Amino acid sequence: LYSPEELRRYYALPERDPDVILAVCDTKEQGSDYCAMPIAYKYGEDYYIDRWICDNGKPEVLEQRIVNILHELDVSTVRFESNRGGTLFADNVQKGLLDKGSHCHVTTKWNQSNKETRILVASSWVKTHCLFKAESEYSGKGEQGKLDKEYRTAMTQMTSYTMSGKNKNDDVVDSLADLENFAKTFGGS
């Protein structure tokens, strides 16, 4: 669905403040599921995916990591998928953000539509409006460490997703479908 050659790439964010910094989070449900959270910097009609949480660790550890990252990056708003345990996860993140004095707005959304259909429909918007880091920006091991690894994992899951067979992981592409839906509330596209 997402061939690496057709994705828009970037090396650095534009040299001005973004219109908004937003995130969406497909929370981890169980087992080998991943918590997938792209963090997007909106500039006009473009969304630069500058950070990506892609972690299949324990939910209680993920909650604190997400609180810290949302606060550190001064994310304005985040939306959590509220299916299954997502509402409790979002509540815990909201409490953690309030404890830090963050002004990040936390919302939830229940997804009732068919996941595969949502992913397919969103793919055109993602290819048109989202920019992903150039591969050289996340392929090293440098100081970014775990964050580079998570970005690589997210990009690998994204570019290996297929509509014509089984997928080991669909959390990353599902989070992009959530981003497309959330972006509509920002005027758009």
Side-chain angles (χ1 to χ4, degrees):
L1 184 64
Y2 291 106
S3 172
E5 307 80 49
E6 64 185 345
L7 299 177
R8 296 174 67 199
R9 303 293 188 139
Y10 73 97
Y11 288 95
L13 293 172
E15 292 187 17
R16 62 180 175 88
D17 288 339
D19 302 335
V20 68
I21 304 171
L22 62 124
V24 293
C25 188
D26 182 4
T27 59
K28 177 181 170 66
E29 291 177 10
Q30 59 189 353
S32 62
D33 251 8
Y34 277 79
C35 174
M37 185 177 79
I39 299 172
Y41 289 65
K42 182 182 187 302
Y43 293 91
E45 296 297 314
D46 290 328
Y47 294 79
Y48 290 70
I49 310 302
D50 200 57
R51 291 280 286 270
W52 217 327
I53 303 307
C54 186
D55 189 337
N56 64 352
K58 294 180 179 180
E60 58 275 8
V61 174
L62 286 166
E63 288 170 359
Q64 189 57 52
R65 275 194 72 212
I66 287 173
V67 166
N68 293 339
I69 289 168
L70 294 173
H71 180 69
E72 170 194 328
L73 298 178
D74 200 23
V75 173
S76 300
T77 184
V78 59
R79 182 158 75 181
F80 291 85
E81 185 177 68
S82 63
N83 300 20
R84 299 195 187 175
T87 301
L88 177 60
F89 194 99
D91 288 346
N92 291 339
V93 169
Q94 176 73 65
K95 287 175 189 159
L97 288 167
L98 289 172
D99 289 347
K100 286 187 170 286
S102 174
H103 298 288
C104 182
H105 181 67
V106 176
T107 60
T108 60
K109 182 167 194 306
W110 181 270
N111 283 323
Q112 293 179 325
S113 59
N114 177 279
K115 184 189 290 192
E116 287 77 21
T117 302
R118 230 180 27 247
I119 290 168
L120 178 62
V121 169
S123 66
S124 176
W125 180 89
V126 170
K127 293 172 192 175
T128 302
H129 294 284
C130 292
L131 289 92
F132 302 91
K133 288 183 177 183
E135 191 170 350
S136 63
E137 298 300 303
Y138 61 85
S139 60
K141 293 187 179 177
E143 289 183 26
Q144 290 287 91
K146 184 172 176 60
L147 296 175
D148 284 344
K149 182 181 178 201
E150 286 183 87
Y151 206 99
R152 275 194 309 277
T153 300
M155 292 302 292
T156 299
Q157 288 183 17
M158 178 185 173
T159 58
S160 64
Y161 184 83
T162 179
M163 295 300 292
S164 61
K166 289 274 187 194
N167 292 287
K168 185 175 178 184
N169 300 103
D170 62 7
D171 306 302
V172 166
V173 292
D174 193 21
S175 71
L176 289 171
D178 291 341
L179 178 62
E180 180 265 349
N181 185 273
F182 195 30
K184 290 176 186 174
T185 65
F186 292 92
S189 310

